[in-house]
Amino acid sequence: TGKLAEEGAVAASRQFVGINTRILQRSRVGSDIPIEKVITEAKAARGVILFTAVSQKLRQQILTEAKKAGVVA
């Protein structure tokens, strides 16, 4: 559901005083939302991608495409 990733991001961001963070949640990536769109959005925002995925194939695809784009996932 992404709840675990969101909670981790919130907990991590609290470790840094004075750092502004923004969490954008995207559901159904890879089916309704193209992976490339999410990666492009993260790159433009100089962000990172935290995600949960049941499918090993989808996880690997996100990691591979993010690495090619220079985005931490």
Side-chain angles (χ1 to χ4, degrees), residues 1-6 22-27 29 33 41:
T1 65
K3 187 72 173 164
L4 178 62
E6 181 181 357
R22 184 173 59 146
I23 297 172
L24 302 176
Q25 187 173 2
R26 301 291 180 258
S27 299
V29 173
I33 300 173
E41 186 177 16

Side-chain angles (χ1 to χ4, degrees), residues 23-64:
I23 297 172
L24 302 176
Q25 187 173 2
R26 301 291 180 258
S27 299
R28 300 183 53 81
V29 173
S31 55
D32 290 348
I33 300 173
I35 292 168
E36 296 80 11
K37 181 177 180 182
V38 173
I39 292 170
T40 299
E41 186 177 16
K43 185 172 184 167
R46 297 180 57 203
V48 299
I49 298 174
L50 302 176
F51 66 96
T52 57
V54 174
S55 164
Q56 177 65 31
K57 182 179 177 183
L58 179 60
R59 279 195 301 272
Q60 192 57 53
Q61 187 177 3
I62 293 169
L63 291 171
T64 300

